[in-house]
Amino acid sequence: MVRPVSNLTPFTLLDYPDKTACIIWYAGCNMRCLYCYNPEVVLGKGKFSFEQICDFLASRVGLLDAVVFSGGECLLHKDIEYHIKTVKEMGFLAKVDTNGSQPEILQKLLKAQLIDYVALDFKSKRESFRLITQSDLFDRFEASLKILINGNYPFEVRTTYHSELIAKEELSDMIEYLKFNEYTGIYYLQHFRNNTPTLSPLNNSQNNLKAVNDSKLQIIIR
């Protein structure tokens, strides 16, 4: 039996704006972000089959509004279209958390109206991308961002901030990059969780983002 799912969070009020949801954590990722706090998801094997997840979801029909497909990188899985379609047919909204590395899959799912909301991770500008993610996938992230902007789909952009990986000057450049690409949604800045196991050993981050703001782009720090 194929087990693509690493874990399941049965309830959350934080991961889909104004909706009750659960989170499906798909095993595996094509990035190795230094600050990643889900090493068991990224590096480990799945523990649950999709059929087991559906059994759980069947018990939550009418109780939850939405299902969040996360990871790892959920769009890497060959059956993800079938999984999302099945969840939609059960009556749930579908949100996808993605690093943006699968623009073709993302576009296909959006055109098929299978995704209701997307959270796109903006790891860094191109200059730091390889160091932070241990990958060469910035162009693919950029393609996903443009698909979402040009298609006027409901989505958010978010960045995890670690003071030793992203300088304040680069964060300002990232804000300018989003404005240049005509992103008009909310830009969420997430503080790195100090004292949490990560893929690579890191010093504590100096979480000092309170002064970050912009007159033309709404920024929310969380």
Side-chain angles (χ1 to χ4, degrees):
M1 180 184 295
V2 178
R3 293 182 171 87
V5 177
S6 176
N7 210 340
L8 172 73
T9 299
F11 182 77
T12 176
L13 290 171
L14 302 176
D15 289 81
Y16 196 126
D18 303 317
K19 303 295 181 184
T20 59
C22 67
I23 309 173
I24 305 174
W25 302 92
Y26 281 78
C29 190
N30 53 355
M31 294 185 186
R32 295 291 183 268
C33 300
L34 302 179
Y35 54 70
C36 178
Y37 56 83
N38 285 325
E40 72 285 355
V41 175
V42 170
L43 302 177
K45 295 182 179 180
K47 301 174 184 176
F48 303 98
S49 68
F50 182 64
E51 290 73 21
Q52 289 173 300
I53 299 300
C54 285
D55 288 342
F56 166 79
L57 292 177
S59 72
R60 294 301 188 270
V61 172
L63 300 175
L64 293 178
D65 301 316
V67 175
V68 178
F69 292 81
S70 193
E73 176 52 50
C74 65
L75 297 186
L76 290 174
H77 289 267
K78 62 183 181 65
D79 294 324
I80 193 65
E81 182 177 1
Y82 168 71
H83 292 183
I84 296 177
K85 186 175 181 180
T86 300
V87 166
K88 293 279 289 181
E89 289 173 349
M90 296 176 75
F92 297 103
L93 297 170
K95 172 180 178 265
V96 166
D97 293 344
T98 181
N99 61 25
S101 65
Q102 304 299 303
E104 299 87 357
I105 302 298
L106 180 63
Q107 186 166 49
K108 181 180 180 182
L109 295 172
L110 289 166
K111 284 190 173 182
Q113 298 183 328
L114 291 177
I115 303 177
D116 299 288
Y117 193 79
V118 176
L120 179 66
D121 290 329
F122 184 12
K123 307 293 187 179
S124 71
K125 287 290 295 302
R126 183 187 300 275
E127 295 78 9
S128 304
F129 198 86
R130 182 185 289 275
L131 169 65
I132 291 175
T133 69
Q134 301 295 292
S135 74
D136 191 20
L137 296 168
F138 183 85
D139 286 342
R140 298 184 66 76
F141 155 78
E142 189 170 67
S144 291
L145 176 65
K146 291 181 178 180
I147 287 168
L148 290 163
I149 291 173
N150 294 336
N152 198 30
Y153 296 108
F155 80 107
E156 67 184 50
V157 176
R158 59 190 189 182
T159 293
T160 297
Y161 174 78
H162 190 294
S163 58
E164 292 189 357
L165 298 178
I166 299 176
K168 282 290 186 64
E169 294 78 12
E170 182 174 3
L171 198 54
S172 297
D173 290 343
M174 293 167 73
I175 292 168
E176 293 303 316
Y177 171 87
L178 291 175
K179 291 193 295 184
F180 176 80
N181 282 282
E182 300 182 342
Y183 175 63
T184 57
I186 300 173
Y187 183 30
Y188 290 97
L189 296 178
Q190 304 173 158
H191 281 126
F192 171 77
R193 299 179 186 176
N194 287 328
N195 304 311
T196 301
T198 53
L199 275 178
S200 296
L202 293 173
N203 295 323
N204 282 350
S205 174
Q206 301 302 312
N207 290 332
N208 51 355
L209 291 175
K210 292 181 180 180
V212 177
N213 58 71
D214 188 87
S215 61
K216 295 182 179 180
L217 183 66
Q218 185 178 2
I219 298 172
I220 293 180
I221 298 169
R222 59 187 182 189

